[in-house]
Amino acid sequence: MSQYFGMGEETLWNPSNGAARLFLRQIAVFEAELGLPSGVGPMENDECQVDPVALGTFANALLAQHQRTRHAIVLALSEGFLATLLVLAERAGAEVGWTPADNAQDDGLRDFQVSPHPRTPAPSAKKARGDQLRTKMQELARFMAR
């Protein structure tokens, strides 16, 4: 069995039931975290419609939050979901801005890693994280059947 994420008649992603269920639950978590709708509608009769404009807004907000954080656990928990979401947004034609974290709008929500040896990541480390996220997107896109 599988479920469909689509825009009108176009299928953007056709994951298994388990992957779709997990993705939709994570959508709800990040909608609550950001206070924004994702643009991903409810799953009805194994189909879910995607609003590309709302999805683009949501994806950009989550990407900006991801770029700002320096918390290793938050990054680890969100990276796979974000990469999957960005593939879906790309397929929906949503505009995603890969603004460097230094230029991302600060909404006052920041997570910092508490450690005995705190340090600020170098700009090259931030760029490397963005490059790793793009690589992860490319890997996942191969497994995200339409």
Side-chain angles (χ1 to χ4, degrees):
M1 296 288 298
S2 61
Q3 299 187 324
Y4 296 86
F5 291 81
M7 250 180 15
E9 296 297 316
E10 180 184 0
T11 299
L12 303 173
W13 183 30
N14 178 224
S16 68
N17 288 347
R21 191 172 48 250
L22 183 59
F23 182 73
L24 289 170
R25 287 182 176 148
Q26 289 180 310
I27 285 278
V29 167
F30 286 100
E31 283 177 330
E33 185 70 19
L34 295 172
L36 288 172
S38 64
V40 176
M43 188 62 69
E44 296 173 343
N45 299 320
D46 294 331
E47 294 183 0
C48 177
Q49 287 296 306
V50 173
D51 173 347
V53 175
L55 181 63
T57 300
F58 183 75
N60 279 300
L62 190 56
L63 179 59
Q65 181 187 54
H66 183 79
Q67 290 173 322
R68 282 191 308 270
T69 190
R70 291 187 269 170
H71 196 289
I73 303 304
V74 170
L75 289 168
L77 289 171
S78 62
E79 185 177 82
F81 170 75
L82 178 57
T84 304
L85 180 77
L86 289 170
V87 171
L88 189 64
E90 184 178 85
R91 288 180 179 179
E95 298 261 342
V96 176
W98 290 86
T99 306
D102 290 338
N103 297 334
Q105 182 180 358
D106 186 359
D107 59 6
L109 300 174
R110 289 183 178 229
D111 286 307
F112 294 96
Q113 182 69 45
V114 178
S115 72
H117 308 290
R119 56 191 169 118
T120 302
S124 61
K126 291 178 184 179
K127 181 184 179 314
R129 264 193 359 222
D131 292 345
Q132 289 169 347
L133 187 57
R134 285 187 182 99
T135 299
K136 182 75 167 174
M137 284 175 60
Q138 291 169 350
E139 291 170 5
L140 289 176
R142 294 191 337 239
F143 297 104
M144 291 175 68
R146 290 182 181 217

